[in-house]
Amino acid sequence: MFDIAVFGSLFLTLFVIMDPPGITPIFLALTAGRPAKVQKRMAFQAVCVAGGVIATFGVLGHQILNYLHVSVPALMIAGGLLLLLIALDLLTGKTDEPKQTKDVNVALVPLGMPLLAGPGAIVSVILAVQKADSVATQLSVWSAILAIHVVLWVVMRYSLLIIRVIKDGGVVLVTRLAGMMLSAIAVQQIINGITQVIRGS
């Protein structure tokens, strides 16, 4: 039988962590200047990449981290540093230069990972799968994972309508705002990782 409580709990957790509304300006900033068809494809690719990473860690998370001798706090700090580098590019306007971005598929990095499939989401899924001790709860967990990725795709897919309203000047403004938000997210992620290291020592 489907466990609606487990589904709702994990879905809300992932919604807060993966933040579909918050990813919209970042998606617009990273895909600015590309044709609408390409942007739509990148939205789908980003969700597929995130889903693949989340599913892989959901099934093999503990084994992967143990094999690599990587702790969860280390994963959080590394992800935060990567996001900080991307945020600095957005803030300084380097992503406006075609040579740097046109040939790079941002749907893979940073959109798919670590923005969507970040350390927080990965850890949440690993713990949820570990706690799911029946077929019903397993079904609920994986349904929640699928549902949040559908929401992410819909939000990014239709965020392209915003471009038609805000025009090029608005995209530049959104890019700078996205850089500020992303830098804050990155710093918070690094702080959380360091805090966990201190608590564990």
Side-chain angles (χ1 to χ4, degrees):
M1 187 175 177
F2 191 80
D3 193 330
I4 191 66
V6 172
F7 173 88
S9 176
L10 181 58
F11 180 83
L12 288 175
T13 300
L14 292 177
F15 189 91
V16 171
I17 293 172
M18 301 177 89
D19 192 15
I23 202 67
T24 300
I26 297 171
F27 172 76
L28 291 175
L30 291 173
T31 61
R34 292 176 170 84
K37 185 177 180 180
V38 173
Q39 290 176 315
K40 291 174 184 176
R41 186 175 72 242
M42 294 177 81
F44 181 73
Q45 288 175 335
V47 170
C48 288
V49 169
V53 171
I54 291 290
T56 300
F57 275 93
V59 176
L60 302 170
H62 282 292
Q63 293 89 327
I64 292 172
L65 294 180
N66 289 337
Y67 177 77
L68 296 174
H69 303 291
V70 173
S71 66
V72 171
L75 188 65
M76 296 178 73
I77 294 170
L81 290 173
L82 178 58
L83 288 181
L84 188 57
L85 291 175
I86 296 161
L88 292 175
D89 279 347
L90 291 175
L91 283 170
T92 56
K94 290 185 179 180
T95 54
D96 294 337
E97 300 175 19
K99 289 182 181 179
Q100 288 190 345
T101 61
K102 292 298 182 183
D103 296 328
V104 176
N105 190 351
V106 295
L108 306 180
V109 176
L111 277 175
M113 184 177 180
L115 277 178
L116 297 180
I122 289 173
V123 171
S124 297
V125 168
I126 290 175
L127 294 176
V129 171
Q130 187 179 24
K131 292 177 183 176
D133 53 2
S134 68
V135 174
T137 50
Q138 284 283 352
L139 178 62
S140 303
V141 165
W142 290 104
S143 296
I145 293 170
L146 177 61
I148 191 63
H149 283 83
V150 171
V151 170
L152 285 166
W153 175 76
V154 170
V155 168
M156 288 191 291
R157 167 71 171 73
Y158 291 100
S159 67
L160 301 178
L161 298 174
I162 298 173
I163 294 178
R164 298 177 187 175
V165 177
I166 64 176
K167 307 297 182 184
D168 291 342
V171 170
V172 173
L173 177 61
V174 167
T175 299
R176 300 299 181 268
L177 290 174
M180 290 180 60
M181 288 169 24
L182 195 56
S183 62
I185 293 170
V187 171
Q188 186 61 56
Q189 194 163 288
I190 294 170
I191 291 172
N192 292 344
I194 293 174
T195 301
Q196 288 194 26
V197 170
I198 294 173
R199 287 177 179 173
S201 61

